[in-house]
Amino acid sequence: MLLSLCSLLLAPTRLLLALWRLVAHLGVTVATVAAGVAYGLWGLGVLLRRGPRETFRWRVRDRPPPGLADGTFGEHRYLHLKDSGLQLHYVTRGPTMAPLMLLLHGFPQNWFCWRYLLQEFGTRYRVVALDLRGYGASEKPPGKDSYRLEILLEDIRQVIEVLGTPNGDKEVTASSGVTATSPRCILVGHDWGGLLAWEFAASHPVMVEKLVIMDAPHRSVMAGFTICHPSQLIRSSYIFLFQLPWLPELLLSLADFELVKTILTGPWTRIQNPLRQLTEQEVDAYLYSLSQPGGLTPPINYYRNLFRDTPIPREPPPTPTLLLWGTHDAFLDARLVPCLRHCLRPTARICLLPGASHWLPEDQPRPLARLLDDFLGGGDHHP
């Protein structure tokens, strides 16, 4: 009787949740179709402007540009994950026994976006700039399901298990009841790497000593913010394009990856610091992997899994947290930052970098290093 009464009382809530999922699904579908049409028209414009021969020509980069595969910024290593057997590439710099600082990049980049911070912090930390699965020199398993959020988070957990700083907090394992020492790290994420860092710190707090998020929203706030600020729909239009099969890969590769180059170097979207704007060789550091056959599909598959579940509300990460945001981010409105406060503890630090673009690790490396240094508690950095 009691069970039936509880079920009856919960029926309106279930109905509202089902209705919300239906409305959300319809909204994503409409936005996806609109984005497909808009970007398709852009592709048609490229075809009319450049002609078929130039539009459908893209160059596979045969050799990595200087700095990408040599030892300029650190030592290149590979890690085989125990459970999946996946091979991940990373670049490391710093003393082996120093605290681990794990850097997670975003789209359409790779470990190379952290080259400045590798140099800044490689004397006092064991800095590891990871190529996420599907990116750079890391393995690229086929299929959309290989890039589900829970799989990406498990990759990060296993990387920290192997490379993490020992003597972390103690925890009791559920399987054995034995008290074990958990390895941990200073976790730094930008863009997609920041989204993963949010999720990982909330689900595995004992493994994260300190958390740094750069220009990356928490999944739970995006829907509400976009409803209140429709301009974010335009900024995020590429996300809806990426829900489609094969079309994003085609459009991104047109005219030798013109759209990717525009994302990285366009007047509105590029690094705003004129001293740090990407050179042709630096752009090729990102295009090298993406230009290989099938190289675009794995990074896009991250987005194809973005709407497959509803974000679960969690307690804010208990870890000391620093949130950094560029005021001139072309993809994520800076007005998101106040909305993210409820995803953070009251003690979290928030800093807006005036004039900085979405590409914070490359746009403002020295100011960024000073802010990180202050947050981590030591050292001086000079411009």
Side-chain angles (χ1 to χ4, degrees), residues 107 133-135 140-149 152 192 239 242-246 248-249 252 294-308:
F107 176 87
R133 70 159 59 198
Y135 281 90
K140 301 165 178 62
K144 183 176 78 172
D145 287 347
S146 297
Y147 301 89
R148 299 195 311 271
L149 181 64
L152 302 174
W192 251 104
I239 294 175
F242 290 172
Q243 304 310 305
L244 295 168
W246 66 263
E249 286 91 333
L252 286 173
L296 284 166
T297 298
I300 293 173
N301 279 339
Y302 279 61
Y303 293 93
R304 288 177 174 141
N305 286 292
L306 195 56
F307 300 112
R308 70 182 297 157

Side-chain angles (χ1 to χ4, degrees), residues 40-248:
L41 290 173
W42 172 86
L44 181 60
V46 173
L47 178 61
L48 294 174
R49 188 173 75 252
R50 291 177 173 263
R53 186 173 181 179
E54 193 173 347
T55 297
F56 295 104
R57 180 188 63 82
W58 49 85
R59 178 170 57 91
V60 175
R61 274 65 179 169
D62 296 324
R63 295 182 180 179
L68 181 63
D70 55 36
T72 302
F73 300 106
E75 183 180 352
H76 292 252
R77 294 184 182 178
Y78 289 88
L79 172 69
H80 283 85
L81 301 183
K82 182 175 64 176
D83 294 346
S84 65
L86 196 75
Q87 180 176 264
L88 296 181
H89 168 259
Y90 65 94
V91 175
T92 183
R93 192 180 184 110
T96 305
M97 299 307 294
L100 173 65
M101 178 186 288
L102 181 60
L103 309 176
L104 307 178
H105 65 83
F107 176 87
Q109 299 181 300
N110 52 46
W111 76 265
F112 188 73
C113 73
W114 299 111
R115 59 195 179 280
Y116 297 122
L117 290 191
L118 279 162
Q119 293 175 311
E120 290 283 355
F121 289 98
T123 57
R124 290 173 292 111
Y125 295 92
R126 184 187 184 189
V127 188
V128 169
L130 185 69
D131 273 338
L132 296 171
R133 70 159 59 198
Y135 281 90
S138 287
E139 201 169 341
K140 301 165 178 62
K144 183 176 78 172
D145 287 347
S146 297
Y147 301 89
R148 299 195 311 271
L149 181 64
E150 61 270 24
I151 292 177
L152 302 174
L153 295 177
E154 178 60 16
D155 286 353
I156 297 169
R157 188 194 68 80
Q158 290 192 47
V159 168
I160 299 172
E161 282 281 356
V162 175
L163 302 178
T165 308
N167 302 320
D169 295 334
K170 292 185 177 180
E171 58 178 352
V172 178
T173 59
S175 57
S176 63
V178 176
T179 301
T181 300
S182 176
R184 56 183 179 174
C185 72
I186 298 162
L187 187 59
V188 183
H190 170 254
D191 188 77
W192 251 104
L195 186 150
L196 295 174
W198 274 113
E199 298 281 345
F200 188 84
S203 58
H204 299 80
V206 74
M207 301 185 79
V208 181
E209 184 178 353
K210 291 192 176 183
L211 175 66
V212 181
I213 306 290
M214 302 182 191
D215 288 84
H218 195 281
R219 289 200 307 155
S220 64
V221 308
M222 281 303 293
F225 180 83
T226 304
I227 290 170
C228 297
H229 302 85
S231 62
Q232 183 59 50
L233 270 175
I234 299 173
R235 294 172 181 259
S236 302
S237 59
Y238 66 97
I239 294 175
F240 299 103
L241 171 68
F242 290 172
Q243 304 310 305
L244 295 168
W246 66 263
L247 183 61

Side-chain angles (χ1 to χ4, degrees), residues 192-339:
W192 251 104
L195 186 150
L196 295 174
W198 274 113
E199 298 281 345
F200 188 84
S203 58
H204 299 80
V206 74
M207 301 185 79
V208 181
E209 184 178 353
K210 291 192 176 183
L211 175 66
V212 181
I213 306 290
M214 302 182 191
D215 288 84
H218 195 281
R219 289 200 307 155
S220 64
V221 308
M222 281 303 293
F225 180 83
T226 304
I227 290 170
C228 297
H229 302 85
S231 62
Q232 183 59 50
L233 270 175
I234 299 173
R235 294 172 181 259
S236 302
S237 59
Y238 66 97
I239 294 175
F240 299 103
L241 171 68
F242 290 172
Q243 304 310 305
L244 295 168
W246 66 263
L247 183 61
E249 286 91 333
L250 174 63
L251 292 174
L252 286 173
S253 60
L254 290 181
D256 197 31
F257 305 94
E258 181 178 312
L259 187 54
V260 179
K261 293 175 183 175
T262 300
I263 290 171
L264 292 170
T265 64
W268 186 52
T269 57
R270 69 188 175 195
I271 291 169
Q272 296 301 302
N273 182 351
L275 299 177
R276 299 291 184 179
Q277 288 173 3
L278 297 179
T279 65
E280 185 177 347
Q281 282 190 343
E282 288 171 333
V283 172
D284 270 355
Y286 301 125
L287 290 179
Y288 175 72
S289 173
L290 298 175
S291 71
Q292 306 306 312
L296 284 166
T297 298
I300 293 173
N301 279 339
Y302 279 61
Y303 293 93
R304 288 177 174 141
N305 286 292
L306 195 56
F307 300 112
R308 70 182 297 157
D309 65 347
T310 303
I312 300 171
R314 297 181 187 269
E315 285 292 312
T319 310
T321 304
L322 172 64
L323 176 64
L324 301 168
W325 211 279
T327 59
H328 283 52
D329 189 323
F331 304 101
L332 294 164
D333 197 320
R335 290 175 294 179
L336 266 164
V337 174
C339 302

